[in-house]
Amino acid sequence: MPLLSCRNVTKAFGSLMAVSDLSFDLAAGEVLGIGGPNGAGKTTLFEMISGQTRVTSGSVVLEGRDITRLSPVGRCHAGLARVFQLNTGFDSLTLRENVLVAAYYGRAPRRMPGFRIPSEVGDRVQEALCRVGLETRADRPAATLPVIDRKLLMIAGALAMSPKLLLLDEPVGGLTQREIDQVAEVVGRVAADGVTVVLIEHVMRFLVQLSSRVMILHHGKKLYEGDAAGLSRDRDVVEVYLGQGAGREVARLAAGREQGAQHAG
Amino acid sequence: MTAMRRDLLLCGLFAAAALAWPMVSGLRYSVTQTTFFFIWATVVVQWNLVFGISGIFSLAQVALFAIGAYVTAMLGYYLGTSMLLAMPAGAVVAVIASIALGLACLRLYGPYVALLTLCVSQVLYVLIVNDTDCFTHPPAGCMPLMGGVRGFSRFGDLGFRDWLGSGFYIGNYYVGLALLTAAILFSILIIHSPMGLAFRALRDNPVYAAARGVDRFRYQLWIFGLSAFFTGLAGAFYAVNTGVVGPVVFSFPHLLFLLSMIVVGGVGTVWGPVIGAVVLMVADELMRELGDFRDIGMGLILVGCVVLMPKGLSGLFQSLSARLAGPAASAAEKAK
Ligand SMILES: Nc1ncnc2c1ncn2[C@@H]1O[C@H](COP(=O)(O)OP(=O)(O)O)[C@@H](O)[C@H]1O
Ligand SMILES: [Mg+2]
């Protein structure tokens, strides 16, 4: 049984089909990279999976359970954690409190919240902060953070929910090369720990390096689905999305990834 | 020291100082005015939980206060209920009314919550004032069910008159102090608990909070219900303390006076509303002689605070102490 299964999901904004009749499956432990031009419907797809937007038609199934009508909160508790494209956070809270919200409320419904934080929750917060390397700044207010740390803080929040499925929407958009490597390392370790990941990214280096499978969207439809090495051989993908130069670059990156895998194996 | 310990300590110091105040001041007038301060501060401390901590622009607090006062007065007047029972009953009815209002506001955001809650309290005001049908016929004439324009009086007290004679107001003072201390303790507990964390997360970013498992509907209902208890109890105590309950408790100027306390003191902090209540009550007292200019003076204070100190007096204290600590901290860095 796949961990996540999207069946014919469609989102129409008026006459605009942001996502149109899209189906795909995701097995546990996979890292699916999603690319595609701006406006292709990638973020809208995430919104439908994590529940911020209702599907126009189709269904979303997590571990065999239809979650299409579940609220965003319900989907959190079902094991889904999304990191937003925009830099989102609780600005008046400290980093620790930001992650604490997710650790305390994000795992299971709380009928009546208590007056104390259980030590097990505190441990999970600390662990999530360490996993992204923010533990030394835990008591600063989130509003003062630079962009890279905001992205890492969002990831820490998602990890504190101990998700089965992590959705990352452009986690390295607007970052420098070094910062991109920093995030790639964090995400790589999360995936190695067995968390299933779907990531949207324009930075092909990041996408190819981390993804076990790639899907390219265009006008709300699937343009390509397969391994990273096939991207540069697909004429549509090169024409619509990558361009000739980037196509060669992706081919080189994919080859590097294969070699890396062989070394590891 | 954690923030919670610091706030509990401050609360203890405040209560200790207030315990000694009647002995120090000795003036009946200043003691009774301080009792009113306890009542208004209780209301704004609870209002701050909704408005400041949770970021819900509810103006219902004055109506809840009035409900607590009216229920207490009506139970005493019509049924002769002891005030010791009528007061908590008033608080409980306020909680129920508040949860109902919270349900009505669930799908509303921002200014629409303010409009709906303001409407409810103004409609209650109009209903009470315009009701001229006699419900009973006391010797004085005609009594509408909700007291009409004149409201209720002689519905009972806490027994301090029999016990302390002319010093009864001292008894009321200590009840008021107990009320405010409990309200502040309650607010400290909420703000520093996981529930307070959920409220602050929802205020900062409701969509992100939902994506981290915080259910806005559930916690909005919790905060409406919880903040209503001490508000209703403050209304009940107001009834007992003044001995009169009339529609003026619903009035719009009254609402603005209380709202100003939160704005002047600082939204969303434990102590801001208390400081604001002190400042505005003292200012009101100092301008007592000015007649009509008093309202203008109040308006000027409010505008001045909003323009010069957007985070209120407590925000000003924080940035001042940060600035004072700043040079010291950087000097310590250099010394290393
Ligand atoms: N709330 C909305 N209302 C109307 N149109 C929208 C809305 N959200 C997205 N769209 C449109 O849907 C299309 C897909 O957007 P999006 O999913 O954000 O693309 P991507 O993330 O791939 O860049 C775009 O044309 C966008 O303008
Ligand atoms: Mg997008």
Side-chain angles (χ1 to χ4, degrees), chain A residues 27-48:
Chain A
E30 266 193 293
V31 178
L32 174 67
I34 300 182
N38 278 323
K42 308 180 294 292
T43 298
T44 306
L45 174 64
F46 268 18
E47 304 251 301
M48 290 189 287

Side-chain angles (χ1 to χ4, degrees), chain B residues 298-333:
Chain B
M298 278 303 194
L300 285 178
I301 292 176
L302 185 59
V303 171
C305 284
V306 171
V307 173
L308 298 176
M309 313 179 292
K311 290 190 170 172
L313 283 165
S314 61
L316 189 71
F317 290 147
Q318 266 169 12
S319 59
L320 275 184
S321 63
R323 212 172 290 172
L324 286 179
S330 54
E333 286 277 301

Side-chain angles (χ1 to χ4, degrees), chain B:
Chain B
M1 187 162 57
T2 64
M4 173 137 163
R5 291 240 175 91
R6 183 203 61 202
D7 286 336
L8 288 175
L9 185 70
L10 283 172
C11 184
L13 289 176
F14 162 79
L19 272 175
W21 172 242
M23 273 80 94
V24 180
S25 109
L27 291 170
R28 174 172 173 152
Y29 182 71
S30 68
V31 171
T32 52
Q33 284 305 100
T34 311
T35 309
F36 276 110
F37 158 75
F38 293 150
I39 295 171
W40 303 139
T42 300
V43 176
V44 291
V45 163
Q46 301 304 306
W47 199 348
N48 179 52
L49 289 176
V50 182
F51 191 85
I53 302 298
S54 314
I56 304 167
F57 293 114
S58 166
L59 301 178
Q61 233 60 19
V62 171
L64 301 174
F65 175 86
I67 287 171
Y70 266 93
V71 168
T72 304
M74 287 167 75
L75 282 175
Y77 187 87
Y78 289 119
L79 305 177
T81 311
S82 148
M83 286 296 110
L84 284 177
L85 281 178
M87 285 174 60
V92 168
V93 174
V95 169
I96 294 168
S98 186
I99 290 174
L101 258 178
L103 277 171
C105 291
L106 274 185
R107 301 198 175 271
L108 302 179
Y109 276 96
Y112 297 101
V113 176
L115 279 177
L116 179 68
T117 49
L118 182 63
C119 279
V120 167
S121 67
Q122 293 307 300
V123 164
L124 282 174
Y125 176 80
V126 171
L127 281 179
I128 291 173
V129 171
N130 288 346
D131 179 18
T132 50
D133 293 346
C134 302
F135 182 68
T136 58
H137 294 274
C142 162
M143 183 56 128
L145 174 62
M146 300 279 286
V149 186
R150 271 184 303 158
F152 295 95
S153 57
R154 263 169 285 157
F155 43 78
D157 61 23
L158 286 171
F160 291 124
R161 259 177 220 278
D162 300 338
W163 181 29
L164 298 170
S166 65
F168 74 93
Y169 65 92
I170 302 272
N172 280 348
Y173 174 93
Y174 284 111
V175 175
L177 174 58
L179 175 72
L180 176 58
T181 308
I184 293 177
L185 280 176
F186 180 71
S187 137
I188 292 173
L189 268 181
I190 296 274
I191 288 175
H192 296 294
S193 76
M195 211 187 297
L197 190 67
F199 297 143
R200 284 150 67 209
L202 285 168
R203 174 193 61 192
D204 278 5
N205 191 332
V207 174
Y208 186 51
R212 292 293 168 262
V214 183
D215 187 341
R216 187 172 81 93
F217 288 4
R218 174 173 301 169
Y219 294 107
Q220 190 157 322
L221 281 189
W222 271 109
I223 197 62
F224 267 90
L226 289 173
S227 69
F229 182 78
F230 282 103
T231 309
L233 201 57
F237 177 61
Y238 168 91
V240 171
N241 182 51
T242 43
V244 195
V245 173
V248 66
V249 288
F250 281 103
S251 71
F252 195 62
H254 180 61
L255 186 152
L256 282 185
F257 185 55
L258 294 177
L259 193 59
S260 309
M261 291 177 180
I262 301 186
V263 174
V264 169
V267 167
T269 59
V270 173
W271 295 101
V274 181
I275 299 170
V278 173
V279 170
L280 280 202
M281 285 200 69
V282 170
D284 191 44
E285 201 53 51
L286 294 178
M287 294 190 295
R288 194 160 278 274
E289 308 295 319
L290 295 182
D292 285 347
F293 289 105
R294 186 169 161 189
D295 293 338
I296 299 177
M298 278 303 194
L300 285 178
I301 292 176
L302 185 59
V303 171
C305 284
V306 171
V307 173
L308 298 176
M309 313 179 292
K311 290 190 170 172
L313 283 165
S314 61
L316 189 71
F317 290 147
Q318 266 169 12
S319 59
L320 275 184
S321 63
R323 212 172 290 172
L324 286 179
S330 54
E333 286 277 301
K334 276 187 197 133
K336 270 190 207 164

Side-chain angles (χ1 to χ4, degrees), chain A residues 37-44 82 85 169-170 200 202:
Chain A
N38 278 323
K42 308 180 294 292
T43 298
T44 306
R82 171 171 171 207
Q85 177 171 1
D169 196 345
E170 302 202 18
I200 293 174
H202 283 299

